Amino acid sequence: MTKAITFGYLYDLRNPAQWHRPWVDLYAEALEFISFTEGLGFEAAWVPEHHGAEDGYLPSPLVMLGAIAARTKRMKIGSGIALAPFYHPVRFAEDCAILDILANGRLQVGVALGYRRLETDAYGIDFRSRAGRMDEFLGIVRRLWAGETVSCEGRHFNLKNAFIKPRSPRGQIPLFVGGFSGKALERAARYGDGYFGNLELSELYREKLRATGKNPLTGRLYLQSIFLVVAKDPEKAMNELAPYYHHVNNVYGQWLSEEKMGIQVDEAPQTMTLEQFKSAGMLRILTPDQAIALFKTMRAQAPLEHVMLMVPPGFPLSKFAQYAEVLAREVMPALRDL
């Protein structure tokens, strides 16, 4: 018997102008809903990171994770994804250690490079230095979590006798690296416990593990599937939810376009009208049986452990609860013993 496929939601805490509410209410509602999903049996709650977004996309994932840790008891909590170039490695290692203590060993850390020049400009960071900064950052964080005293003179960080205390009782905290390029997959293989991204890149991730001398069977695979919903009535759900996921799609599409990223993955977001979005297949709304079949197929293709879905920003979570309940009661039980 292999591990079950587990599920969690991403909470980006956006507050789009067309559905704007008081920020205090928005954050309080998210914490309530996270507690609700824990009761349903969801395995994790995830928060992301971006800066300078007009819709208020969450800029401070570690702060939010502290609040989630206090409101939950069992479920894992994690960054999905924190942007490594914006952190000092000592402070990040310290903050994560404290978070893991507060959460009693439930923290999972996902990190990636980031791709918006607007963000690095705001922080006074050279956009071209992101990869180098992240590699140094990851090497240092891993050593600090291991209990080492670190002195180094790098291109980006100069440390003298740095150590962290208290450490997490686990020492190393599970670390996942995201991204879509070959370099990102190399970084995941070298520094991470797993890859957090797209299923179609799982074989490349295993190749990178082999190239670094690691057993490809040890690499963990977490899937980002933010445009997937399970519903008993997909047509009704499409009409109800599409405007909110459309906002997400178009913002990501705008950001990718402005940076000319040209990311080569299936279904990369592009700006489009609402009707185009509804017919493009970007938003997949499946019946429970269809979802079970899909996830079983995914597991047959790759050693998938966890799927991160997303709550749509702007949509009342009290109404979204019905979709979480369908997933928890009609899909998750079928994927416990694969």
Side-chain angles (χ1 to χ4, degrees), residues 120-135:
T120 55
D121 288 349
Y123 271 70
I125 296 170
D126 183 350
F127 184 79
R128 297 166 298 179
S129 74
R130 294 169 301 133
R133 290 178 67 90
M134 185 168 178
D135 287 337

Side-chain angles (χ1 to χ4, degrees), residues 4-319:
I5 298 176
T6 61
F7 294 83
Y9 283 115
L10 176 73
Y11 304 84
D12 60 21
L13 283 302
R14 305 185 204 219
N15 200 358
Q18 60 270 44
W19 306 298
H20 192 274
R21 291 183 291 150
W23 288 103
V24 171
D25 295 348
L26 183 76
Y27 275 68
E29 180 191 51
L31 290 171
E32 285 293 332
F33 189 79
I34 289 167
S35 178
F36 168 73
T37 63
E38 182 177 48
L40 288 177
F42 282 81
E43 180 69 13
W46 299 95
V47 291
E49 176 178 0
H50 274 298
H51 303 273
E54 290 294 331
D55 60 8
Y57 195 117
L58 179 68
S60 301
L62 302 186
V63 174
M64 187 63 185
L65 288 173
I68 297 171
R71 292 292 296 268
T72 54
K73 300 295 183 184
R74 176 197 57 79
M75 71 185 339
K76 294 179 174 62
I77 64 172
S79 56
I81 299 284
L83 303 180
F86 298 107
Y87 293 91
H88 190 283
V90 179
R91 185 55 185 264
F92 186 85
E94 290 175 328
D95 285 350
C96 289
I98 299 302
L99 270 173
D100 203 41
I101 291 169
L102 290 171
N104 194 23
R106 295 183 287 124
L107 179 64
Q108 303 180 104
V109 178
V111 293
L113 198 61
Y115 56 86
R116 297 195 75 201
R117 195 178 300 269
L118 175 150
E119 295 176 314
T120 55
D121 288 349
Y123 271 70
I125 296 170
D126 183 350
F127 184 79
R128 297 166 298 179
S129 74
R130 294 169 301 133
R133 290 178 67 90
M134 185 168 178
D135 287 337
E136 284 188 26
F137 166 89
L138 289 171
I140 293 167
V141 167
R142 279 300 207 185
R143 293 176 64 189
L144 292 170
W145 283 347
E148 294 185 35
T149 297
V150 179
S151 296
C152 64
E153 293 185 8
R155 290 189 61 188
H156 306 284
F157 302 106
N158 295 317
L159 310 180
K160 184 176 181 180
N161 298 324
F163 66 94
I164 65 169
K165 188 163 288 196
R167 294 169 57 217
S168 164
R170 299 189 289 172
Q172 295 288 347
I173 296 168
L175 177 68
F176 293 79
V177 178
F180 307 105
S181 68
K183 290 292 185 182
L185 274 293
E186 288 176 15
R187 201 171 283 119
R190 183 174 302 278
Y191 298 107
D193 297 302
Y195 169 62
F196 202 162
N198 290 42
L199 191 69
E200 66 264 29
L201 296 176
S202 61
E203 182 54 41
L204 179 58
Y205 171 54
R206 290 195 287 268
E207 291 176 10
K208 299 299 183 181
L209 285 166
R210 294 186 192 97
T212 58
K214 296 181 180 178
N215 183 346
L217 298 178
T218 63
R220 303 173 65 186
L221 180 61
Y222 280 21
L223 174 67
Q224 299 179 37
S225 191
I226 63 173
F227 291 110
L228 189 147
V229 177
V230 181
K232 291 185 176 181
D233 186 341
E235 183 178 358
K236 178 177 179 292
M238 177 65 76
N239 290 328
E240 183 173 51
L241 298 175
Y244 304 90
Y245 285 104
H246 175 246
H247 171 82
V248 174
N249 176 82
N250 277 15
V251 171
Y252 280 137
Q254 177 189 340
W255 290 355
L256 293 170
S257 175
E258 72 189 19
E259 303 301 341
K260 299 179 174 61
M261 294 299 292
I263 292 176
Q264 299 300 312
V265 297
D266 291 350
E267 301 177 351
Q270 299 177 12
T271 56
M272 60 184 75
T273 67
L274 175 59
E275 290 308 312
Q276 288 172 332
F277 176 72
K278 290 169 71 173
S279 63
M282 285 288 297
L283 178 58
R284 291 188 294 176
I285 301 183
L286 307 179
T287 65
D289 286 344
Q290 289 171 332
I292 292 167
L294 172 66
F295 291 122
K296 285 184 175 180
T297 299
M298 289 180 172
R299 170 57 72 82
Q301 295 172 349
L304 176 64
E305 288 187 32
H306 182 78
V307 179
M308 182 186 76
L309 310 172
M310 183 184 70
V311 298
F315 189 71
L317 294 182
S318 59
K319 295 178 64 176

